[in-house]
Amino acid sequence: LSVRAVARRFGVLLEKPVRLTGEEAPDALICDPSALCARLGTPATPLEPVMEWIAHWVRNGGASLNKATGFEIRDGRY
């Protein structure tokens, strides 16, 4: 899942403009579940409904822990 694609989709779901600057690295991924899916199969719930649920949660003021995501970390150590 590319950071750019996920950000754009949430922009659409939340009806907010998305402004991305610069170019992400080729490996700028939120996750790459391909190895896990190869072993366990595809998830029972597709990504799109999950993103819709998250957007709904955010739009309706769902609770947030207000903690850093760590997505800016590039070495895999959070």
Side-chain angles (χ1 to χ4, degrees):
L1 303 171
S2 80
V3 172
R4 187 171 296 265
V6 170
R8 285 183 174 153
R9 183 64 187 138
F10 274 122
V12 169
L13 291 170
L14 295 168
E15 299 178 352
K16 299 284 185 183
V18 174
R19 186 176 71 101
L20 302 168
T21 60
E23 293 294 321
E24 67 274 13
D27 61 347
L29 304 174
I30 290 177
C31 68
D32 179 1
S34 57
L36 183 63
C37 289
R39 292 187 80 180
L40 302 177
T42 57
T45 306
L47 177 62
E48 182 62 23
V50 173
M51 291 181 73
E52 290 171 0
W53 297 336
I54 293 168
H56 180 266
W57 180 266
V58 171
R59 275 193 313 269
N60 289 289
S64 171
L65 299 177
N66 292 320
K67 295 192 178 217
T69 62
F71 285 133
E72 72 279 3
I73 304 300
R74 299 291 297 157
D75 64 5
R77 297 180 195 181
Y78 295 93

